[in-house]
Amino acid sequence: MNLGNPLILVTFLPLVGFLIILFLKPEQKNAIRAVALATSLVVFGAALWLLAQFQPQTAGLQLVVKQAWLTVGGMPVQFFMGVDGISILMVLLTALLTPIAILSTWSAVQERVKGFMLFFLLLEVGMMGVFLAQDLVLFYIFWEFTLVPMYFLIGVWGGERRIYAAVKFFLFTMAGSILMLLAIIFLAGQAHTFAMDELINSRELFAGAQMLLFLAFGIAFAIKVPMFPLHTWLPDAHVEAPTAGSVILAGVLLKMGTYGFLRFNLPLFPEATRQLAPWIGGLAVVGILYGAMVSYLQKDVKKLVAYSSVSHLGFVMLGIAALNPQGISGTILQMVNHGLSTGALFLFVGMLYERRHTREMEAFGGIWKVMPVLSALALIITLSSMGLPGLNGFVGEFTILTGAFGSAALGSPWFAGLATLGVILAAVYLLHMFEKVFLGPVKHAENQGLKDLNLREIAILVPLLVLIVWIGLYPQPFFNLINPAVENLVALVALP
Amino acid sequence: MQLETALMDPIFALVPWVVFLPAIGLVLNLLVGKRLGEKGIGALASLASGGAFVVAVLLALGLTRSPEGATVPLVDWIRVGDLSVRWAFRVDTLSVLMMLVVSGVGTLIHIYSIGYMHSDVRHNGDPLRFRRFFVYLNLFIAMMMILVSADNFLMLFVGWEGVGLCSYLLIGFWFEKGKDGIGNAQAAKKAFVVNRIGDFGLLLALFFLFWNFKSFDFAVIFAQAPQVAAAAPWVVLAITLFMLLGVTGKSAQIPLYVWLPDAMAGPTPVSALIHAATMVTAGVYLVARSQALFVLVPAAQSAVTWVGAATAIFAATIAVGQYDIKKVLAYSTISQLGFMVAAVGMGATVAGMFHLTTHAFFKALLFLSAGSVILGMEHGAEHAHDSHHLDPQDMRNMGGLRKRMPVTFWVYLIGSLALAGIAPLAGFFSKDEILAYASQQQPGVFIVLLIAAFFTAFYMGRQVLMVFFDKPRSEAAGHAGESPAVVTVPLIVLALLSIGGGALNLPGSLWLEHWLEHSLAEVHAGEFLLPVAAGSLAVALAGILIAWLVYGRKPLADAKTPDLLAHPLGPIYRGMESKWKVDELYHAVIVRPYQALSGFLAGPVDQGVIDGLVNGIASLFSMLAQLVRKLQTGYVRTYALAVLVGVVAVLAYLATAGLR
């Protein structure tokens, strides 16, 4: 196996840091943090190197690693990895958010730092593997693998109801995964392979069962997204998770669900995809409006942001259901956008929590007066989340809605039309949040002396802000990475 | 594209700088403003805005040479499949007219703000906020320039929502002030949300445009519009009606006008620049720009016209019943925007743009003079003994300011007469052109607008009499003082423009019409109809005369006396005073039900039904697990172990399953 392949590097380099930390004493907190941060930065560098070798105009898999690995029942399980326009931005997003999340724990995590960082690096391995694996068994292993570290991050370093939230997160995902596992076994039984390229070529072999197969994969992914009505694990998980956990959960783990639809459901089961597109689109629209309405009157700001994810991921699913280039390219960009904006929102919530030890919006008010830098930056992120033109969220949402409006698969402009109402509702709940926390007079004496951002905190936010503005004003370099693979995917799903 | 660039007058290549210069100004102020001091900050921001004005003048000079204008592309923006949008600028007589108005009036207001905000930040107790104001103001100029210089509808939309953001930031500039400390912040939020309702309409119009024209470029859409309208007229109808929804939001028309009066919570220069002279005219500009679409669907045209006419008269009645000097001007602005919307709706695009321009002069003048009055009242309150809780914007507390603030009085009088439509001031000519057109095309609209014009003259007469004449009704008014030169000089410039602005399109020369005919598909020759002109002048004079009969002969005895019309008009006056309770209606019909629905979904539905089902299934399993209950030790590490074992078991299962 070529250990110098950038895909291998981004996936397994975190293990190097894992091993080093393993040999450090638990008291050496700063050394542990430094090793973890350095490792994640090296991974980020490797991801940039991967990007440098990536050829945007090529639609298919690149930098492929394909190696015989196991034999299961006479069928070869391959160590098969590859990257294309659908996964490359997810890899970059993961590589970017991991060091940011680690840096955000500097003062927030003081207990059991060693265990925390160990799990965090394992989590990065799992996430990278999910986005790069091209063999169903390999994918499934990575998919399940992400579950364990996240379970511990919530269950050990979480808030008061952490056990409840962690178990709920685990069981929910597990329930879906079992369906997917059954489907994988069935698929392999029909096609005698686990490799994605061969499965797509022989997809006629299991075309008869594709509706059931679509649902088995789809439910596993829909739980992860999460799509309405399978979303109730998310607010609990977010509220209890430590800040860094929330950043990764919202930023990357949810995208594993939408990515799963794009990577597996669409090319493997095209007929079922086309038939179910209006249903997915319908649930997506319900999710957009429902998530926005439920967000509005939340008292816990973290819960508000969590429900906003239900709404935002609704847009992402709507783009998938549109099954045209605008819808799907917009969806992939919006997956990045949501990772940046919602990741940043959770960082702000964490920064406020560290100072005040509460997330109740009632405990704040007038924060702009005492923390002008934090507030001004929080406003930019809020606006990005609202889809203000000129910032990243708008580009993704607009492209998705444009695609959905004229989508032949959805068959009606009503989906996009109703989804556009979400633009109004987003302004309602996000500006409500901003007003409650940042505007008005300083109501509570405890808030008078709050310290504004320090350099470390600004350093965490700057890369996110730069990308938010960059994608808003000049998204074309990103679309150039995405477009060829999407054209390919659309052709794979289209009527023969 | 290459062709356009090759043949283009080189001076047009400057057009991106109308956006870049104010953007550079705001970035510089963010970076080094702290070290510059107030004068430096204000000068830098004014220079940035003034620079944009100079560029606009240069573009206008270029247009006198090559009036067909040009498209100046900057860079690709979004390209996915057949969706392709550029950042590209449009230089033509229509866009440059808007640039001149925005940056011209904008620069004057920047200069005025140096003086106004100097005292405003001190009055409100946070001098450090001075810089933030000018950063926002520059951002606004940049966004407004994007709006008016866009070559396609999507870029226009960027500016459209961008100016909405600036409006939000500036209404909430004193975000810790207002009713219960949160009033200003709520006004800002209301403005943004109501505008978003309009933006929802505009977005839908964009989607229709894309799927029917496969482009957002003005040139492509306007060229193909007739074919599309012939094939599917309902498409163009839908596009234009959804645009109209956007117009009612941004240009404060029925039913979405309710945010504008609340927007007066912003500092007065903001009310002048954003909420009177420029941003709120964006809707008028949109209809004028899209004239080629609107003329294809008469039904949409009459919808626009009647929305404008109804707003013109409705808002004018409310203005009669207000006491806050800025609220009167706010409702007056809504009413005047109604005139413009009605004009562009009827196809009298030149008349609409003419009124937009003159209104920018005299309404900016009125707001800035009102700001000067408020400064004077605050100044007076500081020197008075018992006036600490006095509202410096309530006209009932004023009176007699003519002698205390002579410059402000004279410019205010000029602005009022221009607004009332007294010849030969600017407003007379522009309003008359709208009325003349309506009298020939739409007699019903003509009558409605004529009545609105009467109300206009009446409420302005009332305001001038209440503020400047008779004796001071409070100690503060008695001690009020004239504002400094940095405030009064921009007022004098605007006063001169309000006097002479009519020259832009005088009957006979019709300079503006010849200027705009290069950008507009159809130009209807403006006519000067002597009977209409004489009639509208008579109506205006009658309005002022009646105002004098009511408020001038027998002035208010003191600040506590009810309005002199309150008794004779009874419930009608109370209706006007309470703004016909529209806010209360919206609150009961939209806001409250939405809050109830949101609470219902978050509580009983989400936590009750949906999560309850999930937990129900889970507890079903845990009942079965009673048998193995001893395993539940409550220690996380035990669970951890269990989970790890579980994952291994799954993998083992997978392996064996395959081994059949």
Side-chain angles (χ1 to χ4, degrees):
Chain A
M1 190 183 297
N2 175 12
L3 289 179
N5 181 299
L7 305 193
I8 303 290
L9 287 179
V10 293
T11 311
F12 294 109
L13 268 179
L15 287 181
V16 176
F18 179 88
L19 287 174
I20 297 173
I21 292 175
L22 214 50
F23 288 104
L24 291 171
K25 293 202 191 74
E27 306 82 77
Q28 297 170 288
K29 288 184 188 174
N30 279 331
I32 292 168
R33 289 176 181 138
V35 171
L37 180 65
T39 308
S40 62
L41 287 174
V42 170
V43 174
F44 181 65
L48 290 181
W49 189 54
L50 188 162
L51 177 65
Q53 287 173 272
F54 185 84
Q55 290 172 338
Q57 59 280 17
T58 310
L61 286 180
Q62 303 184 38
L63 303 169
V64 171
V65 184
K66 202 169 188 180
Q67 187 120 5
W69 185 29
L70 306 166
T71 311
V72 177
M75 280 179 284
V77 174
Q78 291 170 312
F79 190 88
F80 179 13
M81 283 185 156
V83 67
D84 64 4
I86 295 168
S87 49
I88 186 153
L89 287 180
M90 295 299 106
V91 170
L92 289 166
L93 180 68
T94 308
L96 174 75
L97 287 181
T98 304
I100 285 176
I102 288 177
L103 202 54
S104 80
T105 66
W106 231 244
S107 54
V109 176
Q110 295 294 347
E111 304 283 309
R112 310 189 207 199
V113 176
K114 181 171 174 177
F116 188 92
M117 294 303 173
L118 289 176
F119 281 123
F120 224 86
L121 293 173
L122 282 184
L123 185 59
E124 187 169 27
V125 173
M127 295 186 295
M128 290 294 188
V130 163
F131 293 127
L132 293 172
Q134 294 291 329
D135 179 285
L136 283 181
V137 176
L138 189 63
F139 170 78
Y140 188 78
I141 291 171
F142 281 123
W143 173 271
E144 289 295 293
F145 191 79
T146 58
L147 209 50
V148 181
M150 190 42 102
Y151 169 82
F152 281 104
L153 289 175
I154 299 174
V156 179
W157 289 271
E160 242 164 61
R161 295 172 73 222
R162 57 183 178 268
I163 303 293
Y164 171 76
V167 170
K168 197 170 180 179
F169 163 74
F170 194 93
L171 290 183
F172 245 102
T173 320
M174 205 63 198
S177 304
I178 287 170
L179 288 174
M180 177 161 66
L181 181 62
L182 293 174
I184 290 175
I185 294 165
F186 178 84
L187 264 186
Q190 301 286 309
H192 297 282
T193 178
F194 294 107
M196 273 305 290
D197 50 354
E198 294 165 31
L199 281 168
I200 291 173
N201 285 334
S202 54
R203 63 187 185 186
E204 288 309 313
L205 292 173
F206 45 85
Q210 60 172 296
M211 192 56 88
L212 279 176
L213 289 168
F214 183 102
L215 289 175
F217 275 88
I219 288 171
F221 297 141
I223 288 170
K224 206 72 169 183
V225 171
M227 285 184 79
F228 175 89
L230 303 171
H231 62 274
T232 54
W233 64 271
L234 185 73
D236 286 317
H238 269 310
V239 168
E240 301 306 326
T243 300
S246 284
V247 171
I248 294 295
L249 183 60
V252 182
L253 292 193
L254 305 188
K255 310 308 168 344
M256 286 166 40
T258 48
Y259 171 81
F261 275 101
L262 293 171
R263 174 65 70 203
F264 301 103
N265 286 50
L266 266 58
L268 290 177
F269 321 119
E271 177 77 38
T273 304
R274 289 195 302 271
Q275 280 182 24
L276 290 174
W279 295 93
I280 296 173
L283 279 178
V285 172
V286 172
I288 291 169
L289 302 178
Y290 179 88
M293 289 187 207
V294 174
S295 284
Y296 173 41
L297 291 183
Q298 296 298 327
K299 296 190 169 60
D300 180 318
V301 60
K302 212 171 178 189
K303 216 165 188 171
L304 185 149
V305 179
Y307 276 109
S308 84
S309 286
V310 176
S311 184
H312 281 119
L313 270 295
F315 280 105
V316 174
M317 288 310 297
L318 181 65
I320 295 178
L323 293 179
N324 53 19
Q326 289 84 16
I328 294 182
S329 285
T331 274
I332 295 173
L333 190 70
Q334 193 62 2
M335 285 156 71
V336 177
N337 292 337
H338 178 260
L340 300 172
S341 318
T342 308
L345 281 179
F346 279 123
L347 288 170
F348 282 111
V349 177
M351 289 167 186
L352 290 174
Y353 183 80
E354 272 186 62
R355 288 165 169 79
R356 283 285 279 109
H357 299 286
T358 177
R359 291 184 294 254
E360 293 287 313
M361 287 196 279
E362 271 308 309
F364 296 98
I367 295 299
W368 199 326
K369 248 196 132 157
V370 281
M371 302 171 74
V373 178
L374 178 139
S375 308
L377 299 184
L379 177 65
I380 298 177
I381 305 291
T382 306
L383 295 169
S384 140
S385 190
M386 258 170 66
L388 186 85
L391 300 176
N392 60 343
F394 174 74
V395 177
E397 272 179 23
F398 180 79
T399 318
I400 289 171
L401 289 170
T402 304
F405 194 82
S407 157
L410 289 171
S412 158
W414 278 98
F415 292 92
L418 289 172
T420 308
L421 284 174
V423 169
I424 304 174
L425 303 188
V428 172
Y429 71 79
L430 282 167
L431 292 179
H432 172 77
M433 182 273 285
F434 195 78
E435 176 195 311
K436 285 270 170 204
V437 176
F438 295 102
L439 304 183
V442 184
K443 280 184 300 189
H444 304 279
E446 310 89 292
N447 293 336
Q448 264 322 338
L450 291 183
K451 289 226 157 39
D452 211 334
L453 297 184
N454 60 35
L455 269 181
R456 175 180 60 85
E457 290 169 318
I458 292 177
I460 292 172
L461 294 169
V462 162
L464 299 176
L465 287 162
V466 168
L467 281 166
I468 281 169
V469 176
W470 179 6
I471 297 178
L473 294 177
Y474 188 51
Q476 202 49 46
F478 296 85
F479 278 127
N480 287 342
L481 293 173
I482 301 171
N483 283 341
V486 168
E487 301 275 352
N488 204 25
L489 180 61
V490 169
L492 272 176
V493 194
L495 279 169
Chain B
M1 192 182 95
Q2 275 77 15
L3 197 71
E4 297 163 15
T5 326
L7 295 178
M8 183 180 88
D9 193 319
I11 209 165
F12 293 151
L14 287 174
V15 63
W17 290 94
V18 297
V19 178
F20 292 162
L21 286 174
I24 292 170
L26 87 91
V27 170
L28 283 181
N29 256 334
L30 272 179
L31 294 178
V32 298
K34 256 186 193 144
R35 267 173 267 159
L36 292 177
E38 283 194 1
K39 292 251 163 61
I41 292 168
L44 177 60
S46 307
L47 271 178
S49 172
F53 179 68
V54 171
V55 173
V57 170
L58 292 174
L59 295 173
L61 290 176
L63 283 171
T64 57
R65 280 203 306 249
S66 16
E68 71 288 347
T71 292
V72 183
L74 195 62
V75 66
D76 267 336
W77 182 23
I78 301 176
R79 201 153 34 74
V80 179
D82 46 7
L83 168 67
S84 172
V85 198
R86 303 179 294 182
W87 290 105
F89 298 85
R90 171 122 214 99
V91 184
D92 65 14
T93 50
L94 180 60
S95 68
V96 171
L97 173 68
M98 288 299 288
M99 289 180 211
L100 287 168
V101 171
V102 170
S103 58
V105 177
T107 305
L108 287 175
I109 291 174
H110 272 72
I111 296 167
Y112 170 96
S113 300
I114 300 173
Y116 185 89
M117 292 311 289
H118 172 82
S119 87
D120 193 52
V121 291
R122 282 161 184 77
H123 183 74
N124 282 293
D126 186 2
L128 291 178
R129 234 176 269 191
F130 186 86
R131 176 175 63 138
R132 193 183 296 166
F133 183 83
F134 283 91
V135 168
Y136 290 167
L137 226 49
N138 270 181
L139 180 67
F140 170 75
I141 299 286
M143 287 299 175
M144 195 69 203
M145 286 301 191
I146 291 180
L147 196 166
V148 300
S149 68
D151 186 53
N152 60 64
F153 279 104
L154 196 61
M155 182 170 153
L156 181 147
F157 188 72
V158 174
W160 185 272
E161 280 225 325
V163 291
L165 165 68
C166 299
S167 169
Y168 171 80
L169 292 170
L170 285 160
I171 296 168
F173 187 73
W174 296 109
F175 54 77
E176 71 277 44
K177 302 277 164 73
K179 192 164 175 282
D180 299 326
I182 197 78
N184 290 3
Q186 283 175 338
K189 181 177 70 178
K190 180 175 174 184
F192 208 137
V193 171
V194 172
N195 265 293
R196 268 263 158 138
I197 298 174
D199 297 353
F200 160 79
L202 195 46
L203 271 175
L204 289 182
L206 289 181
F207 300 146
F208 272 110
L209 280 171
F210 175 73
W211 286 99
N212 290 287
F213 295 91
K214 285 290 150 79
S215 174
F216 290 116
D217 292 347
F218 291 149
V220 176
I221 288 171
F222 299 149
Q224 291 176 8
Q227 289 104 289
V228 171
W234 69 271
V235 166
V236 184
L237 183 64
I239 291 169
T240 46
L241 287 182
F242 279 122
M243 275 186 189
L244 173 59
L245 182 58
V247 170
T248 60
K250 194 61 75 195
S251 289
Q253 299 294 291
I254 293 173
L256 296 181
Y257 70 90
V258 288
W259 63 273
L260 186 61
D262 293 31
M264 296 301 125
T268 301
V270 172
S271 311
L273 176 61
I274 301 186
H275 303 123
T278 56
M279 181 188 85
V280 289
T281 63
V284 181
Y285 170 74
L286 177 68
V287 181
R289 175 56 81 190
S290 315
Q291 191 205 35
L293 292 170
F294 279 90
V295 292
L296 296 169
V297 271
Q301 279 192 304
S302 33
V304 175
T305 308
W306 278 105
V307 164
T311 307
I313 192 164
F314 182 74
T317 63
I318 299 177
V320 173
Q322 302 306 306
Y323 301 113
D324 184 308
I325 185 170
K326 283 176 72 180
K327 283 273 161 74
V328 174
L329 294 178
Y331 282 103
S332 160
T333 303
I334 297 172
S335 169
Q336 294 301 306
L337 288 165
F339 275 86
M340 298 174 217
V341 169
V344 292
M346 288 184 293
T349 313
V350 175
M353 292 304 294
F354 185 24
H355 198 54
L356 183 157
T357 309
T358 60
H359 177 259
F361 298 149
F362 60 71
K363 194 52 78 58
L365 170 62
L366 285 169
F367 266 112
L368 295 185
S369 315
S372 176
V373 168
I374 295 165
L375 279 187
M377 287 290 289
E378 283 171 357
H379 175 81
E382 280 160 25
H383 291 269
H385 301 295
D386 57 344
S387 313
H388 293 295
H389 300 292
L390 175 126
D391 180 354
Q393 299 185 192
D394 193 326
M395 300 191 296
R396 286 170 294 192
N397 294 326
M398 300 177 185
L401 292 181
R402 178 170 46 117
K403 299 202 181 88
R404 308 282 320 172
M405 309 179 73
V407 180
T408 304
F409 165 67
W410 279 108
V411 293
Y412 206 101
L413 189 65
I414 291 167
S416 305
L417 294 176
L419 171 57
I422 301 299
L425 301 177
F428 165 75
F429 290 103
S430 56
K431 194 184 288 182
D432 183 65
E433 202 171 308
I434 296 173
L435 290 171
Y437 192 84
S439 73
Q440 290 178 319
Q441 305 291 324
Q442 304 248 16
V445 174
F446 171 70
I447 290 165
V448 171
L449 292 182
L450 200 61
I451 298 171
F454 167 78
F455 277 112
T456 309
F458 177 77
Y459 65 67
M460 284 317 292
R462 170 180 179 261
Q463 185 174 49
V464 169
L465 290 165
M466 279 179 86
V467 173
F468 292 101
F469 284 83
D470 193 41
K471 285 194 249 344
R473 285 184 297 275
S474 71
E475 239 184 301
H479 290 85
E482 186 57 277
S483 300
V486 68
V487 167
T488 50
V489 169
L491 294 182
I492 292 167
V493 175
L494 284 168
L496 293 175
L497 287 168
S498 302
I499 294 170
L504 275 178
N505 208 33
L506 274 186
S509 87
L510 295 180
W511 179 86
L512 186 67
E513 189 169 312
H514 295 308
W515 174 256
L516 286 176
E517 71 188 6
H518 301 288
S519 303
L520 298 174
E522 289 177 39
V523 174
H524 297 284
E527 279 183 73
F528 185 76
L529 303 173
L530 192 61
V532 175
S536 79
L537 187 57
V539 161
L541 289 171
I544 294 172
L545 179 67
I546 295 175
W548 182 78
L549 289 175
V550 178
Y551 298 97
R553 274 189 319 169
K554 189 168 72 90
L556 281 179
D558 58 49
K560 303 274 180 335
T561 320
D563 193 276
L564 296 164
L565 282 180
H567 185 64
L569 290 183
I572 298 176
Y573 189 82
R574 282 196 297 280
M576 299 194 290
E577 191 178 7
S578 64
K579 303 147 192 171
W580 303 112
K581 303 249 182 232
V582 175
D583 272 320
E584 287 79 357
L585 176 75
Y586 286 178
H587 200 74
V589 177
I590 299 167
V591 179
R592 292 283 289 281
Y594 182 70
Q595 286 172 337
L597 177 65
S598 165
F600 177 70
L601 290 179
V605 173
D606 199 68
Q607 291 306 299
V609 178
I610 298 180
D611 203 40
L613 270 177
V614 167
N615 284 343
I617 295 169
S619 46
L620 193 72
F621 278 104
S622 86
M623 266 161 64
L624 296 173
Q626 289 289 340
L627 299 169
V628 285
R629 193 177 172 178
K630 278 171 195 151
L631 296 177
Q632 293 188 327
T633 58
Y635 287 109
V636 176
R637 58 174 179 269
T638 322
Y639 286 114
L641 191 67
V643 174
L644 267 183
V645 170
V647 172
V648 172
V650 169
L651 293 176
Y653 173 71
L654 168 68
T656 49
L659 278 171
R660 277 171 300 173

